[in-house]
Amino acid sequence: DPGLELYRALPADLDPIVERTAREVTAGLDNPYEQALALQRWFTGGEFTYSEEAPVEQGFDGSGAQIVAAFLEARNGYCVHFGSAMTLMARTLGIPTRM
């Protein structure tokens, strides 16, 4: 659907870890709905720690593409990190998303 291209756009400087991780998490799944569910399960399955403290000390805060890469490596963050990561990872799979 051409009206959704805005919601598939990715930053030019997106760290390869974002797409690589999305592909690993959704390996073997072709259906966008099932891919989205797999990402959701991955984020909520216990491999990540939710923190109410902004992780400025660890060198990342905010929602930019480079912040998402740091979040995926640290696996610790707060709501904007989870939302931004889900959005960018889904977009690398061609799933239109917005946050």
Side-chain angles (χ1 to χ4, degrees):
D1 185 1
L4 297 176
E5 286 311 307
L6 173 65
Y7 304 111
R8 288 188 183 102
L10 291 164
D13 63 344
L14 186 64
D15 190 301
I17 190 176
V18 178
E19 182 172 1
R20 184 175 61 245
T21 305
R23 300 243 174 244
E24 289 171 4
V25 171
T26 62
L29 301 173
D30 295 324
N31 178 295
Y33 178 75
E34 296 205 6
Q35 290 173 324
L37 286 178
L39 291 174
Q40 176 186 325
R41 280 190 302 271
W42 185 65
F43 283 120
T44 60
E47 292 188 42
F48 286 82
T49 303
Y50 182 85
S51 173
E52 293 181 1
E53 301 296 320
V56 177
E57 302 81 37
Q58 289 107 338
F60 65 101
D61 189 24
S63 62
Q66 297 308 315
I67 297 340
V68 169
F71 165 71
L72 290 175
E73 290 177 359
R75 297 192 180 192
N76 178 30
Y78 55 103
C79 56
V80 72
H81 296 118
F82 283 87
S84 298
M86 177 74 177
T87 299
L88 288 176
M89 290 174 75
R91 286 183 178 194
T92 67
L93 300 171
I95 301 169
T97 56
R98 72 183 187 106
M99 187 169 134

